[in-house]
Each structure stands twice: as structure tokens, then as C-alpha cells.
Amino acid sequence: MAHVVKYHPSISLLEQYSEGTLAPELCLIVAAHLDFCPHCQTLHRDIEADLGCELAMQKAPVVDGSQWEQMLDQILSAEPVAREELSKQHSLHSADNKSGRVSELLVGAHRFTVPRSLQRIVAKRNKWLTLGGIATAKLPGSEENHLSLLCIETDTEVPLHTHKGLEVTLVLAGEMVDEMGHYAAGDLIINTPDHTHTPKNISAEPCLCLSVLTAPLEFKQGLTRLLNPLQRFFY
Amino acid sequence: MLDPQQRSGHYGAEISLQSRPMTTQEMTPAIAAGQWEEALAIVALHRDKSAYAELFRYFAPRLRAFGIKMFGNEQQAMEMVQDTMLNVWQKAALFDASRGCASTWIFTIARNVRFDMLRKKQSRKDDISADDLWADGDYPEQEDNQSQQWDVHLVAEKVAPHFHALPPAQRLVMEKVYLDELSHQEVSEQLGIPLGTVKSRIRLALDRLREAIDGPRS
């Protein structure tokens, strides 16, 4: 693809992703960014190599030998996994429609390609809810981090809002702009509580995003939580 | 990117392949170049128990230490070790030395096992799994990126003041390459770490320095 991803996760975010210490929903959005971004793929591999080296260089304390010998015997008594079985498991990554994966997503009349990392979770989305030119579908997530898909139609604006927590958005297809920049597929946008922004789709194509919210949005236009169905809608 | 020879394990002085009693493990890392990669290949081809036992004796205690750091308790750490080392035994055929060191492969298995253990504990096993998150080297090889093309003198002048912000391991490699002007090979030999790791650390450090100078990229 000709498009070059411009907005990336910070190195420390990538490190936490590579370690697996980041919250699962945030890990997922970083993984989806990597599906678009060769540069971050390379950095991620470098971090993994570094962590592997760290593991190998680690000094291990003296431990009770019999416990280890017991574990070793137990493992060696396990049947090896057949080669064909291994290659089958391994190829699941790229296989379509196997074990509940979807490689394409239909929103209204629009068809989108789903990146590898999202193929399983997108298959488990809730139904689309539409409001104005915006459609949203929740994905399974934790209490703390809400994960959803957002599809913004041409010439549509998401109402001005700030964030009580972190809002992380990854553009999956199409383009959008806000006060801070212009984003396209693969761009990762992180908004902290001090950001106020109005994302807009001014392109001719619909814009599909993945979003992680760590706390409810707070809309700025005088609407209380009770009066404002938007808040529930987006969280 | 890097050729497999360069990325193979090399952590210091060579030792013999003889097994050692498990109870006397002060275990200063000391491994022959490519030893673990070879051991994995032998396990994959011949189900060789003694080659596996070597791997186990080296990595299991280290995984335990890593697990205790991550979980904060011995029981889950040992569960992670067992599951990880079982995967190493059963899936050795999936290891591909052209994609990285044996230790990197084992680390990624442990990370994934740990992640799925945590999800299972929260009964959220089906939402997001380790398989979704880490592509296991399925990404195509990349051309080396521009990090390698930074001018030595530019780096020394403009960037050296930011060296203190780097993690110690990366800082050490950067100082040796850019201030002492050693070759990557020399640094690898001096520090007793794989050449691939030297290159990785330089790339990571350069990206971090770029961040320190330009601000975060997002």
C-alpha cells in the first residue's frame, strides 16, 4: 500500500506491548497498528530479541533439583504434537473464516478488509448502532477498557468531546481530520484527558476506526450524562 | 534484515555440552554460539530427550525467575514454566532460526502463555488471545530502516547529551558504537551478546533518541 503510516505508538508503549504487560485492549490496538506498519514491526522484533536476550542472560537462583527433574520427566512423557498438526495450527493466522475469523466487514453498503489481529474479535461484535452518519459496534472488552468499531460517513463530524481517560483510536480505512492532524489507515491517535477534539470525515469514503476508551467521554455541549444518549452511545 | 548466523545465540565463553547437576546453579550464562538453536533443531528432528534436557536445565530456572517477576508468586510462575517448556518440547518444529534466537522464541512462548493464563483467570479467555496479538514472526522481512544511516559525528554531537535517558543496556551499546567507534562485531564480542542483539539495541536506542529530540511520534 502506498500510504505511509504517520502516527505511531511511542517506544514505551511498544515495549509494554512486546512484553505483554499492556492491557489486552491496548495490546490489540497496537497489534492492529503493526498490521499496517512495517517500521513498528521491525522495532517490535528488536524489542523481542532484546527481551529474549535478557531472559537468557538472567542469573537463576539455586533451586531444589527434584522439583525440576519431576517437571522434566512429566514434559518428556507428553506426546509430541504431530508435524501436520503444527503446521495446521500455525497457518490459522492467515486462514479466513476458520475458527470464527472474518476477513471482511460490511457496514451498510461499505465493505472493509479486517487486519489479521482483529479477525477473531470482529467476528464477535455486537450489532451496529447508527446515529446520524456514525455507526458504532461494541467489541468484547473489559470493564476498564471499552473496545468498539466506529464508522464515520463522508462529511460527518463526531461531536466535540474531551476524555475522562485515555482515548486511543486506530484508523482502519478511509481518512479523518481533527484539530491536531490528518489521519489515514494505520495511524494511531492517542488522546489524553487534556485533549478536546472534533474528528471529522471530509473525504469521499467512509472512515472505519477501532477505538479503546478507558473511561466515558464527556461531551462539552451542556448535556448531562442523563440527558445525553451520546455518551452511552460512544462508551 | 539480519542473517541467521548473526542472530544466533552467543552469550559468552564456550562451555561443554555436558549436563550439570541441577542443584549447583549459580549459572553464569555461558553458552556456545548457536548452541540452543542447534538443540531445538535436534529436538524437532529426533525428539532427542537429552538435547531437550539441556534446554530445560538452562531455561526453566530463568523462566521461573522471569515468571516470579511478572506474576509476583511462585505457583503461577511454575505453571508458566511448565506450560512454556511443554510447548518448547511439543512445538520445537515451529522454531525458525532465520527469524531469531532460540531465547527470543522461548521468551515469546512464555509471554503468550502468561497472557493467556491471566485471561483465563479472568474468564475472558475467548475475547482477546495471545494468538491475535503477536504474529509470531509472520510479518515479512523488512529492509533495514534508516536508523542505520545516521552519521556517526552527528549522533555523537547532537545526541550524546540524551544518552543518559536510554536504558542502561542500550546506552552501553550506543557508547561503544558512537563514542568509542567500535564495530558492531567488536561490541558483540566485548559484551558477549549476539550481533543481532547489538543491532536491535542500536535501532531501539536511535528511535528513543529520535523521540527525545522530536517528541513522541503520536
PDB file of all heavy atoms in Angstrom, chain A residues 8 11 15 17-18 39 46 48 50 56 58 79 116 120 124 141, chain B residues 22 47 58 62 90 111 124 126 132-133 138 201 203 208 211 217-218:
ATOM      1  N   HIS A   8       2.453   6.883  15.191  1.00  0.00           N
ATOM      2  CA  HIS A   8       2.861   5.588  15.746  1.00  0.00           C
ATOM      3  C   HIS A   8       2.737   5.562  17.269  1.00  0.00           C
ATOM      4  O   HIS A   8       2.724   6.610  17.906  1.00  0.00           O
ATOM      5  CB  HIS A   8       4.333   5.321  15.390  1.00  0.00           C
ATOM      6  CG  HIS A   8       4.618   5.418  13.931  1.00  0.00           C
ATOM      7  ND1 HIS A   8       4.564   4.345  13.079  1.00  0.00           N
ATOM      8  CD2 HIS A   8       4.955   6.484  13.164  1.00  0.00           C
ATOM      9  CE1 HIS A   8       4.868   4.740  11.855  1.00  0.00           C
ATOM     10  NE2 HIS A   8       5.105   6.030  11.876  1.00  0.00           N
ATOM     11  N   ILE A  11       7.778   4.385  21.857  1.00  0.00           N
ATOM     12  CA  ILE A  11       8.597   3.199  22.122  1.00  0.00           C
ATOM     13  C   ILE A  11       8.161   2.522  23.417  1.00  0.00           C
ATOM     14  O   ILE A  11       8.113   1.301  23.502  1.00  0.00           O
ATOM     15  CB  ILE A  11      10.089   3.573  22.232  1.00  0.00           C
ATOM     16  CG1 ILE A  11      10.604   4.052  20.897  1.00  0.00           C
ATOM     17  CG2 ILE A  11      10.911   2.405  22.735  1.00  0.00           C
ATOM     18  CD1 ILE A  11      11.309   3.018  20.084  1.00  0.00           C
ATOM     19  N   GLU A  15       7.128  -1.265  23.858  1.00  0.00           N
ATOM     20  CA  GLU A  15       7.816  -2.167  24.790  1.00  0.00           C
ATOM     21  C   GLU A  15       6.820  -2.926  25.657  1.00  0.00           C
ATOM     22  O   GLU A  15       6.951  -4.131  25.859  1.00  0.00           O
ATOM     23  CB  GLU A  15       8.786  -1.381  25.688  1.00  0.00           C
ATOM     24  CG  GLU A  15      10.101  -1.084  24.998  1.00  0.00           C
ATOM     25  CD  GLU A  15      11.003  -0.166  25.812  1.00  0.00           C
ATOM     26  OE1 GLU A  15      10.519   0.428  26.810  1.00  0.00           O
ATOM     27  OE2 GLU A  15      12.170  -0.030  25.453  1.00  0.00           O
ATOM     28  N   TYR A  17       3.786  -3.534  24.939  1.00  0.00           N
ATOM     29  CA  TYR A  17       3.099  -4.480  24.055  1.00  0.00           C
ATOM     30  C   TYR A  17       3.944  -5.740  23.854  1.00  0.00           C
ATOM     31  O   TYR A  17       3.450  -6.866  24.001  1.00  0.00           O
ATOM     32  CB  TYR A  17       2.793  -3.795  22.715  1.00  0.00           C
ATOM     33  CG  TYR A  17       2.544  -4.744  21.579  1.00  0.00           C
ATOM     34  CD1 TYR A  17       1.335  -5.432  21.462  1.00  0.00           C
ATOM     35  CD2 TYR A  17       3.531  -4.974  20.609  1.00  0.00           C
ATOM     36  CE1 TYR A  17       1.111  -6.321  20.424  1.00  0.00           C
ATOM     37  CE2 TYR A  17       3.314  -5.851  19.579  1.00  0.00           C
ATOM     38  CZ  TYR A  17       2.109  -6.532  19.480  1.00  0.00           C
ATOM     39  OH  TYR A  17       1.909  -7.417  18.452  1.00  0.00           O
ATOM     40  N   SER A  18       5.233  -5.550  23.561  1.00  0.00           N
ATOM     41  CA  SER A  18       6.111  -6.698  23.306  1.00  0.00           C
ATOM     42  C   SER A  18       6.268  -7.570  24.549  1.00  0.00           C
ATOM     43  O   SER A  18       6.378  -8.788  24.454  1.00  0.00           O
ATOM     44  CB  SER A  18       7.489  -6.235  22.831  1.00  0.00           C
ATOM     45  OG  SER A  18       7.366  -5.406  21.693  1.00  0.00           O
ATOM     46  N   HIS A  39       7.547  -0.350   9.949  1.00  0.00           N
ATOM     47  CA  HIS A  39       8.535   0.263  10.832  1.00  0.00           C
ATOM     48  C   HIS A  39       8.367  -0.249  12.271  1.00  0.00           C
ATOM     49  O   HIS A  39       9.333  -0.647  12.918  1.00  0.00           O
ATOM     50  CB  HIS A  39       8.402   1.784  10.786  1.00  0.00           C
ATOM     51  CG  HIS A  39       9.321   2.510  11.722  1.00  0.00           C
ATOM     52  ND1 HIS A  39      10.679   2.542  11.523  1.00  0.00           N
ATOM     53  CD2 HIS A  39       9.086   3.173  12.871  1.00  0.00           C
ATOM     54  CE1 HIS A  39      11.243   3.222  12.512  1.00  0.00           C
ATOM     55  NE2 HIS A  39      10.297   3.621  13.346  1.00  0.00           N
ATOM     56  N   ASP A  46      12.815  -6.160  17.301  1.00  0.00           N
ATOM     57  CA  ASP A  46      14.042  -5.800  18.020  1.00  0.00           C
ATOM     58  C   ASP A  46      13.810  -5.882  19.531  1.00  0.00           C
ATOM     59  O   ASP A  46      14.674  -6.359  20.272  1.00  0.00           O
ATOM     60  CB  ASP A  46      14.481  -4.377  17.649  1.00  0.00           C
ATOM     61  CG  ASP A  46      15.060  -4.316  16.243  1.00  0.00           C
ATOM     62  OD1 ASP A  46      15.439  -5.371  15.715  1.00  0.00           O
ATOM     63  OD2 ASP A  46      15.127  -3.210  15.682  1.00  0.00           O
ATOM     64  N   GLU A  48      11.618  -7.713  21.090  1.00  0.00           N
ATOM     65  CA  GLU A  48      11.506  -9.127  21.451  1.00  0.00           C
ATOM     66  C   GLU A  48      12.885  -9.786  21.543  1.00  0.00           C
ATOM     67  O   GLU A  48      13.146 -10.570  22.462  1.00  0.00           O
ATOM     68  CB  GLU A  48      10.656  -9.888  20.427  1.00  0.00           C
ATOM     69  CG  GLU A  48       9.173  -9.741  20.624  1.00  0.00           C
ATOM     70  CD  GLU A  48       8.362 -10.629  19.683  1.00  0.00           C
ATOM     71  OE1 GLU A  48       8.908 -11.117  18.672  1.00  0.00           O
ATOM     72  OE2 GLU A  48       7.184 -10.830  19.962  1.00  0.00           O
ATOM     73  N   ASP A  50      15.642  -8.370  22.237  1.00  0.00           N
ATOM     74  CA  ASP A  50      16.268  -7.836  23.434  1.00  0.00           C
ATOM     75  C   ASP A  50      15.735  -8.533  24.693  1.00  0.00           C
ATOM     76  O   ASP A  50      16.501  -8.893  25.588  1.00  0.00           O
ATOM     77  CB  ASP A  50      15.964  -6.338  23.507  1.00  0.00           C
ATOM     78  CG  ASP A  50      17.134  -5.547  24.058  1.00  0.00           C
ATOM     79  OD1 ASP A  50      18.148  -6.167  24.389  1.00  0.00           O
ATOM     80  OD2 ASP A  50      17.019  -4.327  24.149  1.00  0.00           O
ATOM     81  N   ALA A  56      17.794 -14.971  28.579  1.00  0.00           N
ATOM     82  CA  ALA A  56      18.909 -15.917  28.534  1.00  0.00           C
ATOM     83  C   ALA A  56      20.049 -15.497  29.452  1.00  0.00           C
ATOM     84  O   ALA A  56      20.781 -16.336  29.980  1.00  0.00           O
ATOM     85  CB  ALA A  56      19.404 -16.065  27.103  1.00  0.00           C
ATOM     86  N   GLN A  58      19.739 -13.848  32.243  1.00  0.00           N
ATOM     87  CA  GLN A  58      19.283 -13.758  33.631  1.00  0.00           C
ATOM     88  C   GLN A  58      20.028 -14.747  34.520  1.00  0.00           C
ATOM     89  O   GLN A  58      20.220 -15.900  34.158  1.00  0.00           O
ATOM     90  CB  GLN A  58      17.789 -14.081  33.650  1.00  0.00           C
ATOM     91  CG  GLN A  58      17.150 -13.967  34.994  1.00  0.00           C
ATOM     92  CD  GLN A  58      15.725 -13.467  34.864  1.00  0.00           C
ATOM     93  OE1 GLN A  58      15.084 -13.638  33.832  1.00  0.00           O
ATOM     94  NE2 GLN A  58      15.221 -12.838  35.898  1.00  0.00           N
ATOM     95  N   GLU A  79       3.188 -36.616  24.663  1.00  0.00           N
ATOM     96  CA  GLU A  79       3.319 -36.953  23.251  1.00  0.00           C
ATOM     97  C   GLU A  79       3.693 -35.706  22.453  1.00  0.00           C
ATOM     98  O   GLU A  79       3.095 -34.645  22.645  1.00  0.00           O
ATOM     99  CB  GLU A  79       1.984 -37.497  22.712  1.00  0.00           C
ATOM    100  CG  GLU A  79       1.776 -38.964  22.971  1.00  0.00           C
ATOM    101  CD  GLU A  79       2.903 -39.816  22.393  1.00  0.00           C
ATOM    102  OE1 GLU A  79       3.129 -39.722  21.170  1.00  0.00           O
ATOM    103  OE2 GLU A  79       3.561 -40.540  23.170  1.00  0.00           O
ATOM    104  N   ARG A 116      -5.348  -8.788  10.238  1.00  0.00           N
ATOM    105  CA  ARG A 116      -5.172 -10.098  10.858  1.00  0.00           C
ATOM    106  C   ARG A 116      -5.536 -10.132  12.340  1.00  0.00           C
ATOM    107  O   ARG A 116      -6.288 -10.981  12.799  1.00  0.00           O
ATOM    108  CB  ARG A 116      -3.711 -10.542  10.708  1.00  0.00           C
ATOM    109  CG  ARG A 116      -3.421 -11.948  11.202  1.00  0.00           C
ATOM    110  CD  ARG A 116      -1.951 -12.130  11.585  1.00  0.00           C
ATOM    111  NE  ARG A 116      -1.629 -11.417  12.797  1.00  0.00           N
ATOM    112  CZ  ARG A 116      -1.817 -11.894  14.018  1.00  0.00           C
ATOM    113  NH1 ARG A 116      -2.300 -13.090  14.184  1.00  0.00           N
ATOM    114  NH2 ARG A 116      -1.520 -11.169  15.077  1.00  0.00           N
ATOM    115  N   ARG A 120     -10.617 -12.228  14.660  1.00  0.00           N
ATOM    116  CA  ARG A 120     -11.408 -13.032  15.585  1.00  0.00           C
ATOM    117  C   ARG A 120     -12.392 -12.178  16.384  1.00  0.00           C
ATOM    118  O   ARG A 120     -13.551 -12.517  16.539  1.00  0.00           O
ATOM    119  CB  ARG A 120     -10.489 -13.803  16.537  1.00  0.00           C
ATOM    120  CG  ARG A 120     -10.478 -15.310  16.286  1.00  0.00           C
ATOM    121  CD  ARG A 120      -9.399 -15.993  17.102  1.00  0.00           C
ATOM    122  NE  ARG A 120      -9.121 -15.282  18.329  1.00  0.00           N
ATOM    123  CZ  ARG A 120      -9.781 -15.469  19.474  1.00  0.00           C
ATOM    124  NH1 ARG A 120     -10.711 -16.365  19.553  1.00  0.00           N
ATOM    125  NH2 ARG A 120      -9.468 -14.753  20.533  1.00  0.00           N
ATOM    126  N   LYS A 124     -17.001 -11.239  16.681  1.00  0.00           N
ATOM    127  CA  LYS A 124     -17.844 -11.270  17.887  1.00  0.00           C
ATOM    128  C   LYS A 124     -18.449  -9.906  18.211  1.00  0.00           C
ATOM    129  O   LYS A 124     -18.830  -9.651  19.350  1.00  0.00           O
ATOM    130  CB  LYS A 124     -16.986 -11.695  19.081  1.00  0.00           C
ATOM    131  CG  LYS A 124     -16.566 -13.123  19.011  1.00  0.00           C
ATOM    132  CD  LYS A 124     -15.827 -13.470  20.270  1.00  0.00           C
ATOM    133  CE  LYS A 124     -14.989 -14.685  20.048  1.00  0.00           C
ATOM    134  NZ  LYS A 124     -13.811 -14.657  20.891  1.00  0.00           N
ATOM    135  N   GLY A 141     -14.842  -6.533  25.556  1.00  0.00           N
ATOM    136  CA  GLY A 141     -13.711  -5.874  26.209  1.00  0.00           C
ATOM    137  C   GLY A 141     -13.894  -5.972  27.704  1.00  0.00           C
ATOM    138  O   GLY A 141     -14.869  -6.539  28.173  1.00  0.00           O
TER     139      GLY A 141
ATOM    140  N   MET B  22      21.592 -30.281  38.778  1.00  0.00           N
ATOM    141  CA  MET B  22      20.646 -29.177  38.812  1.00  0.00           C
ATOM    142  C   MET B  22      20.730 -28.340  40.081  1.00  0.00           C
ATOM    143  O   MET B  22      20.165 -27.278  40.151  1.00  0.00           O
ATOM    144  CB  MET B  22      19.219 -29.711  38.691  1.00  0.00           C
ATOM    145  CG  MET B  22      18.990 -30.544  37.470  1.00  0.00           C
ATOM    146  SD  MET B  22      18.550 -29.589  36.046  1.00  0.00           S
ATOM    147  CE  MET B  22      16.895 -29.202  36.328  1.00  0.00           C
ATOM    148  N   ARG B  47      13.221 -35.837  18.308  1.00  0.00           N
ATOM    149  CA  ARG B  47      12.629 -35.960  19.649  1.00  0.00           C
ATOM    150  C   ARG B  47      13.715 -36.322  20.653  1.00  0.00           C
ATOM    151  O   ARG B  47      13.513 -37.181  21.503  1.00  0.00           O
ATOM    152  CB  ARG B  47      11.506 -37.012  19.685  1.00  0.00           C
ATOM    153  CG  ARG B  47      10.499 -36.982  18.565  1.00  0.00           C
ATOM    154  CD  ARG B  47       9.783 -35.692  18.430  1.00  0.00           C
ATOM    155  NE  ARG B  47       9.308 -35.137  19.703  1.00  0.00           N
ATOM    156  CZ  ARG B  47       8.924 -33.878  19.859  1.00  0.00           C
ATOM    157  NH1 ARG B  47       8.963 -33.044  18.851  1.00  0.00           N
ATOM    158  NH2 ARG B  47       8.511 -33.455  21.024  1.00  0.00           N
ATOM    159  N   TYR B  58      18.720 -25.214  31.309  1.00  0.00           N
ATOM    160  CA  TYR B  58      19.148 -23.823  31.199  1.00  0.00           C
ATOM    161  C   TYR B  58      17.977 -22.855  31.346  1.00  0.00           C
ATOM    162  O   TYR B  58      18.032 -21.902  32.120  1.00  0.00           O
ATOM    163  CB  TYR B  58      19.865 -23.571  29.859  1.00  0.00           C
ATOM    164  CG  TYR B  58      20.488 -22.195  29.837  1.00  0.00           C
ATOM    165  CD1 TYR B  58      21.705 -21.951  30.467  1.00  0.00           C
ATOM    166  CD2 TYR B  58      19.825 -21.124  29.232  1.00  0.00           C
ATOM    167  CE1 TYR B  58      22.256 -20.688  30.494  1.00  0.00           C
ATOM    168  CE2 TYR B  58      20.370 -19.849  29.263  1.00  0.00           C
ATOM    169  CZ  TYR B  58      21.593 -19.640  29.892  1.00  0.00           C
ATOM    170  OH  TYR B  58      22.126 -18.386  29.936  1.00  0.00           O
ATOM    171  N   ARG B  62      15.454 -19.901  34.531  1.00  0.00           N
ATOM    172  CA  ARG B  62      15.404 -18.495  34.099  1.00  0.00           C
ATOM    173  C   ARG B  62      13.966 -18.063  33.854  1.00  0.00           C
ATOM    174  O   ARG B  62      13.582 -16.943  34.162  1.00  0.00           O
ATOM    175  CB  ARG B  62      16.260 -18.300  32.856  1.00  0.00           C
ATOM    176  CG  ARG B  62      17.695 -18.495  33.192  1.00  0.00           C
ATOM    177  CD  ARG B  62      18.679 -18.191  32.108  1.00  0.00           C
ATOM    178  NE  ARG B  62      19.964 -18.013  32.762  1.00  0.00           N
ATOM    179  CZ  ARG B  62      20.683 -19.015  33.269  1.00  0.00           C
ATOM    180  NH1 ARG B  62      20.262 -20.250  33.135  1.00  0.00           N
ATOM    181  NH2 ARG B  62      21.801 -18.770  33.893  1.00  0.00           N
ATOM    182  N   GLN B  90       6.954 -29.792  22.546  1.00  0.00           N
ATOM    183  CA  GLN B  90       5.989 -30.280  21.561  1.00  0.00           C
ATOM    184  C   GLN B  90       6.054 -29.538  20.227  1.00  0.00           C
ATOM    185  O   GLN B  90       5.676 -30.068  19.202  1.00  0.00           O
ATOM    186  CB  GLN B  90       4.567 -30.177  22.121  1.00  0.00           C
ATOM    187  CG  GLN B  90       4.349 -31.109  23.307  1.00  0.00           C
ATOM    188  CD  GLN B  90       2.895 -31.184  23.716  1.00  0.00           C
ATOM    189  OE1 GLN B  90       2.244 -30.163  23.895  1.00  0.00           O
ATOM    190  NE2 GLN B  90       2.377 -32.395  23.868  1.00  0.00           N
ATOM    191  N   ARG B 111       5.700 -15.354  27.161  1.00  0.00           N
ATOM    192  CA  ARG B 111       4.839 -14.170  27.196  1.00  0.00           C
ATOM    193  C   ARG B 111       3.400 -14.545  26.844  1.00  0.00           C
ATOM    194  O   ARG B 111       2.455 -14.134  27.506  1.00  0.00           O
ATOM    195  CB  ARG B 111       5.353 -13.124  26.206  1.00  0.00           C
ATOM    196  CG  ARG B 111       4.401 -11.937  26.062  1.00  0.00           C
ATOM    197  CD  ARG B 111       4.702 -11.138  24.809  1.00  0.00           C
ATOM    198  NE  ARG B 111       4.525 -11.949  23.630  1.00  0.00           N
ATOM    199  CZ  ARG B 111       5.083 -11.677  22.451  1.00  0.00           C
ATOM    200  NH1 ARG B 111       5.841 -10.616  22.312  1.00  0.00           N
ATOM    201  NH2 ARG B 111       4.884 -12.477  21.422  1.00  0.00           N
ATOM    202  N   ARG B 124     -11.906 -14.541  30.678  1.00  0.00           N
ATOM    203  CA  ARG B 124     -12.051 -13.770  29.448  1.00  0.00           C
ATOM    204  C   ARG B 124     -11.241 -14.415  28.329  1.00  0.00           C
ATOM    205  O   ARG B 124     -10.771 -13.751  27.424  1.00  0.00           O
ATOM    206  CB  ARG B 124     -11.570 -12.338  29.664  1.00  0.00           C
ATOM    207  CG  ARG B 124     -12.169 -11.656  30.866  1.00  0.00           C
ATOM    208  CD  ARG B 124     -12.019 -10.167  30.746  1.00  0.00           C
ATOM    209  NE  ARG B 124     -12.665  -9.701  29.547  1.00  0.00           N
ATOM    210  CZ  ARG B 124     -13.945  -9.358  29.480  1.00  0.00           C
ATOM    211  NH1 ARG B 124     -14.692  -9.402  30.533  1.00  0.00           N
ATOM    212  NH2 ARG B 124     -14.463  -8.954  28.344  1.00  0.00           N
ATOM    213  N   ASP B 126     -11.863 -16.044  25.757  1.00  0.00           N
ATOM    214  CA  ASP B 126     -12.254 -16.022  24.346  1.00  0.00           C
ATOM    215  C   ASP B 126     -12.211 -14.643  23.701  1.00  0.00           C
ATOM    216  O   ASP B 126     -12.314 -14.520  22.494  1.00  0.00           O
ATOM    217  CB  ASP B 126     -13.667 -16.586  24.193  1.00  0.00           C
ATOM    218  CG  ASP B 126     -13.692 -18.053  24.583  1.00  0.00           C
ATOM    219  OD1 ASP B 126     -12.655 -18.712  24.388  1.00  0.00           O
ATOM    220  OD2 ASP B 126     -14.725 -18.515  25.087  1.00  0.00           O
ATOM    221  N   ASP B 132      -4.039 -13.525  18.704  1.00  0.00           N
ATOM    222  CA  ASP B 132      -4.454 -12.318  17.986  1.00  0.00           C
ATOM    223  C   ASP B 132      -3.369 -11.252  18.053  1.00  0.00           C
ATOM    224  O   ASP B 132      -3.181 -10.482  17.117  1.00  0.00           O
ATOM    225  CB  ASP B 132      -5.721 -11.715  18.625  1.00  0.00           C
ATOM    226  CG  ASP B 132      -6.911 -12.659  18.554  1.00  0.00           C
ATOM    227  OD1 ASP B 132      -7.040 -13.363  17.536  1.00  0.00           O
ATOM    228  OD2 ASP B 132      -7.698 -12.694  19.517  1.00  0.00           O
ATOM    229  N   LEU B 133      -2.676 -11.215  19.184  1.00  0.00           N
ATOM    230  CA  LEU B 133      -1.829 -10.053  19.476  1.00  0.00           C
ATOM    231  C   LEU B 133      -0.434 -10.130  18.887  1.00  0.00           C
ATOM    232  O   LEU B 133       0.132  -9.127  18.503  1.00  0.00           O
ATOM    233  CB  LEU B 133      -1.707  -9.869  20.995  1.00  0.00           C
ATOM    234  CG  LEU B 133      -3.026  -9.599  21.716  1.00  0.00           C
ATOM    235  CD1 LEU B 133      -2.783  -9.437  23.197  1.00  0.00           C
ATOM    236  CD2 LEU B 133      -3.684  -8.349  21.152  1.00  0.00           C
ATOM    237  N   ASP B 138       5.287 -13.763  11.647  1.00  0.00           N
ATOM    238  CA  ASP B 138       4.614 -13.905  10.360  1.00  0.00           C
ATOM    239  C   ASP B 138       4.795 -12.686   9.465  1.00  0.00           C
ATOM    240  O   ASP B 138       4.468 -12.724   8.300  1.00  0.00           O
ATOM    241  CB  ASP B 138       3.106 -14.125  10.560  1.00  0.00           C
ATOM    242  CG  ASP B 138       2.811 -15.589  10.845  1.00  0.00           C
ATOM    243  OD1 ASP B 138       3.762 -16.391  10.790  1.00  0.00           O
ATOM    244  OD2 ASP B 138       1.648 -15.914  11.107  1.00  0.00           O
ATOM    245  N   ARG B 201      19.557  -3.300  19.663  1.00  0.00           N
ATOM    246  CA  ARG B 201      19.658  -2.250  20.685  1.00  0.00           C
ATOM    247  C   ARG B 201      19.968  -0.898  20.059  1.00  0.00           C
ATOM    248  O   ARG B 201      19.483   0.129  20.517  1.00  0.00           O
ATOM    249  CB  ARG B 201      20.722  -2.622  21.719  1.00  0.00           C
ATOM    250  CG  ARG B 201      20.220  -3.728  22.612  1.00  0.00           C
ATOM    251  CD  ARG B 201      21.140  -4.034  23.760  1.00  0.00           C
ATOM    252  NE  ARG B 201      20.530  -5.108  24.547  1.00  0.00           N
ATOM    253  CZ  ARG B 201      21.189  -5.875  25.390  1.00  0.00           C
ATOM    254  NH1 ARG B 201      22.478  -5.692  25.575  1.00  0.00           N
ATOM    255  NH2 ARG B 201      20.561  -6.830  26.046  1.00  0.00           N
ATOM    256  N   ARG B 203      19.062   0.104  17.026  1.00  0.00           N
ATOM    257  CA  ARG B 203      17.830   0.603  16.398  1.00  0.00           C
ATOM    258  C   ARG B 203      16.863   1.155  17.440  1.00  0.00           C
ATOM    259  O   ARG B 203      16.286   2.216  17.258  1.00  0.00           O
ATOM    260  CB  ARG B 203      17.140  -0.506  15.606  1.00  0.00           C
ATOM    261  CG  ARG B 203      17.639  -0.622  14.171  1.00  0.00           C
ATOM    262  CD  ARG B 203      16.667  -1.435  13.346  1.00  0.00           C
ATOM    263  NE  ARG B 203      16.545  -2.787  13.847  1.00  0.00           N
ATOM    264  CZ  ARG B 203      17.260  -3.817  13.393  1.00  0.00           C
ATOM    265  NH1 ARG B 203      18.119  -3.632  12.420  1.00  0.00           N
ATOM    266  NH2 ARG B 203      17.096  -5.008  13.893  1.00  0.00           N
ATOM    267  N   ARG B 208      14.491   5.827  20.249  1.00  0.00           N
ATOM    268  CA  ARG B 208      14.231   6.502  21.524  1.00  0.00           C
ATOM    269  C   ARG B 208      14.844   7.903  21.533  1.00  0.00           C
ATOM    270  O   ARG B 208      14.226   8.858  21.987  1.00  0.00           O
ATOM    271  CB  ARG B 208      14.828   5.667  22.649  1.00  0.00           C
ATOM    272  CG  ARG B 208      14.169   5.882  23.968  1.00  0.00           C
ATOM    273  CD  ARG B 208      14.858   5.030  24.994  1.00  0.00           C
ATOM    274  NE  ARG B 208      14.163   3.785  25.238  1.00  0.00           N
ATOM    275  CZ  ARG B 208      13.079   3.694  26.009  1.00  0.00           C
ATOM    276  NH1 ARG B 208      12.567   4.760  26.565  1.00  0.00           N
ATOM    277  NH2 ARG B 208      12.511   2.528  26.211  1.00  0.00           N
ATOM    278  N   GLU B 211      12.857  10.218  19.578  1.00  0.00           N
ATOM    279  CA  GLU B 211      11.723  10.654  20.394  1.00  0.00           C
ATOM    280  C   GLU B 211      12.126  11.783  21.344  1.00  0.00           C
ATOM    281  O   GLU B 211      11.407  12.753  21.514  1.00  0.00           O
ATOM    282  CB  GLU B 211      11.212   9.474  21.233  1.00  0.00           C
ATOM    283  CG  GLU B 211       9.790   9.103  20.950  1.00  0.00           C
ATOM    284  CD  GLU B 211       9.359   7.886  21.777  1.00  0.00           C
ATOM    285  OE1 GLU B 211       9.604   7.842  22.995  1.00  0.00           O
ATOM    286  OE2 GLU B 211       8.780   7.001  21.168  1.00  0.00           O
ATOM    287  N   ARG B 217       6.092  10.233  18.611  1.00  0.00           N
ATOM    288  CA  ARG B 217       5.577  10.236  17.243  1.00  0.00           C
ATOM    289  C   ARG B 217       4.057  10.239  17.185  1.00  0.00           C
ATOM    290  O   ARG B 217       3.487  10.276  16.132  1.00  0.00           O
ATOM    291  CB  ARG B 217       6.119   9.011  16.497  1.00  0.00           C
ATOM    292  CG  ARG B 217       7.592   9.128  16.225  1.00  0.00           C
ATOM    293  CD  ARG B 217       8.097   7.894  15.553  1.00  0.00           C
ATOM    294  NE  ARG B 217       7.869   6.733  16.390  1.00  0.00           N
ATOM    295  CZ  ARG B 217       7.959   5.509  15.971  1.00  0.00           C
ATOM    296  NH1 ARG B 217       8.214   5.267  14.717  1.00  0.00           N
ATOM    297  NH2 ARG B 217       7.761   4.508  16.798  1.00  0.00           N
ATOM    298  N   SER B 218       3.417  10.102  18.320  1.00  0.00           N
ATOM    299  CA  SER B 218       1.960  10.115  18.221  1.00  0.00           C
ATOM    300  C   SER B 218       1.398  11.000  19.322  1.00  0.00           C
ATOM    301  O   SER B 218       2.099  11.365  20.240  1.00  0.00           O
ATOM    302  CB  SER B 218       1.390   8.721  18.336  1.00  0.00           C
ATOM    303  OG  SER B 218       1.778   8.153  19.558  1.00  0.00           O
TER     304      SER B 218
END
